[in-house]
Amino acid sequence: MFLTGLAALAVVPTLPTAARDLDGVSLYPLVAGCFVAASLLGGVLGGHWADRVGPQRPLAAGMALAVVTLLVSGASTSIWQLAAGRFLDGLAGGMVAVSINTAIGQAYPDRLRPRALALMSACWIVPSLTGPPLAGLVAEWWSWRAVFFGLAALTVLPALMVVAVLCGPSWAATPAPSNHRPPRPALMVATAVSLGAALGQYGVSGWDIHHLLFAAGGSALLVAFASRLLPAGTWRAARGLPATVLLCGLGSGVFFTLEAYVPLLLVTDRGAPPLMIGLAFTGAAVAWAGSSWVQGRLLEHCPRHRLVVAGALVQAAAVLVAVTGTIPATPAYTAAPAMVIAAIGMGIYAPSLTVLSLTHSPPGRQGYASSAMQTAQNLGQTTVLGVSSALFNACLGAGSTDAVSYGAAFGLLLAPCILAALLAARARSA
């Protein structure tokens, strides 16, 4: 998880430079969206693979693929190769994340799962402090390719060790019992959902007929196929796992939309320096890990659905801070704390939902629950960010000022926060 976090946080600051050098700035939204779309596909495939043969093999495959994708991206000669590398990276990341959650569900008793999940969140602290600034220095002083190749060199030996250990005879597979084994999802379904997410990410990057057609095509694929990858009753928040999965999508969509638009507001409208953006990202990562530690250590006996309500309300407070930061009369950096506050909410919100999802999962079905949560997380990012982006571009197209457009995009996020708080009781465990 440490290596996954380091790679994820280090390469993101270099992507704009890479797109510029490869003459592909116009396709940058596709490069950014490929990772999210492929994470969805990787989570689905990794989860069902883990249920069939145990989490060891998909975890080993994800670690090996993580090295390959860094090499593919570093050697890019075109923007399309870079997009392919980011797609492979998302595929590997989705498989690793779901496999780790499945392993925690199988290896740890209920009382220790919150602590194990908090430890996974803590693995992102050092990467969040060191990854982006080091990558920026390397890209500025040397080359953006050196970032990818350096990460590959750093990852290859630990990845080989993990693969060797997990494939050894001492690790017995723990597949699902035959009477609980879920039907293997058609590859076409997972691929269609992943493609729909990618098309949606690209479509919302513009406000013309060309982009609208892509957005419409992506939305059609998601509507047609996404429900097949989620538990029955997810859209109506049926009690138990379906409601838990829906809540995961709502919270993730709010947080990552704030993470996308708050820096954009600070840079384009408030004139904030890059250092402020870096501090906001670092503060958010530390805040997420800190609040995750609190929920795992100090609040471990509190009912999980109540922690979900608390996390959703904290996110709502972050949205209000972001809206306040769009007002021209406020100080330039007013919106920056919104990322940190939202991260505090997610540090309470996300692990609590993961614990609830594992609690609602029958024996041998933790992989299915983990993949459903991963799918909901990625769909939430795509949907909430897409709707907010569409509203933002519509306001700009109607002649509104930047402040009004940002305020509308942020204000929309209050709806999923309030909805999550109201629906949290439907995810409570028996």
Side-chain angles (χ1 to χ4, degrees):
M1 188 60 74
F2 174 84
L3 292 172
T4 300
L6 183 62
L9 293 170
V11 301
V12 171
T14 68
L15 290 179
T17 303
R20 183 195 62 194
D21 291 351
L22 296 172
D23 295 326
V25 174
S26 61
L27 291 176
Y28 179 75
L30 178 62
V31 174
C34 275
F35 182 87
V36 176
S39 296
L40 188 153
L41 178 59
V44 171
L45 298 181
H48 287 274
W49 190 2
D51 276 342
R52 290 196 307 273
V53 301
Q56 295 85 3
R57 293 183 185 178
L59 178 57
M63 288 298 299
L65 187 60
V67 178
V68 173
T69 184
L70 290 170
L71 296 176
V72 170
S73 298
S76 295
T77 58
S78 69
I79 193 66
W80 294 106
Q81 183 176 345
L82 182 62
R86 295 299 293 159
F87 185 89
L88 291 176
D89 194 13
L91 193 65
M95 293 173 64
V96 168
V98 168
S99 299
I100 287 177
N101 284 340
T102 303
I104 289 174
Q106 292 182 358
Y108 289 88
D110 291 346
R111 64 184 181 85
L112 292 181
R113 287 174 185 169
R115 296 188 183 185
L117 293 168
L119 180 60
M120 294 301 101
S121 297
C123 290
W124 289 73
I125 295 179
V126 174
S128 68
L129 295 173
T130 61
L134 286 178
L137 290 175
V138 172
E140 182 177 352
W141 292 349
W142 194 358
S143 169
W144 60 267
R145 299 180 189 274
V147 176
F148 288 98
F149 290 140
L151 287 169
L154 185 65
T155 307
V156 62
L157 182 59
L160 290 175
M161 295 173 61
V162 168
V163 171
V165 169
L166 293 178
C167 293
S170 61
W171 289 83
T174 54
S178 58
N179 60 328
H180 289 298
R181 190 174 299 174
R184 184 175 183 177
L187 181 60
M188 182 189 70
V189 175
T191 303
V193 174
S194 182
L195 178 62
L199 292 177
Q201 291 282 358
Y202 174 69
V204 298
S205 63
W207 193 248
D208 52 37
I209 188 63
H210 172 75
H211 288 86
L212 288 177
L213 288 175
F214 274 95
S219 299
L221 287 174
L222 291 176
V223 170
F225 292 100
S227 60
R228 304 185 187 185
L229 301 177
L230 299 174
T234 296
W235 302 125
R236 55 184 175 85
R239 292 186 180 277
L241 184 60
T244 305
V245 169
L246 178 62
L247 289 168
C248 177
L250 293 174
S252 178
V254 171
F255 176 77
F256 287 104
T257 301
L258 286 173
E259 193 176 54
Y261 268 99
V262 168
L264 192 64
L265 166 70
L266 294 175
V267 170
T268 62
D269 196 58
R270 308 311 301 268
L275 177 60
M276 175 59 65
I277 308 302
L279 290 175
F281 273 102
T282 298
V286 174
W288 186 321
S291 61
S292 181
W293 181 89
V294 169
Q295 66 79 34
R297 292 281 182 173
L298 304 181
L299 302 176
E300 58 183 328
H301 300 299
C302 182
R304 289 285 140 184
H305 69 282
R306 294 183 181 177
L307 293 181
V308 172
V309 174
L313 294 179
V314 172
Q315 282 197 306
V319 171
L320 294 177
V321 172
V323 172
T324 303
T326 64
I327 301 174
T330 59
Y333 305 149
T334 301
M339 294 176 60
V340 178
I341 297 172
I344 294 174
M346 282 300 291
I348 300 172
Y349 187 98
S352 298
L353 286 175
T354 302
V355 171
L356 287 171
S357 71
L358 295 174
T359 302
H360 293 311
S361 303
R365 295 295 302 274
Q366 291 93 344
Y368 170 73
S370 296
S371 68
M373 294 286 283
Q374 184 78 16
T375 300
Q377 174 181 312
N378 291 332
L379 287 176
Q381 292 178 30
T382 301
T383 304
V384 177
L385 178 59
V387 174
S388 293
S389 298
L391 180 59
F392 176 79
N393 290 325
C395 290
L396 288 179
S400 301
T401 63
D402 287 350
V404 172
S405 301
Y406 281 114
F410 289 138
L412 181 68
L413 300 180
L414 283 175
C417 291
I418 296 173
L419 185 61
L422 294 175
L423 294 177
R426 303 183 68 85
R428 67 184 301 173
S429 58

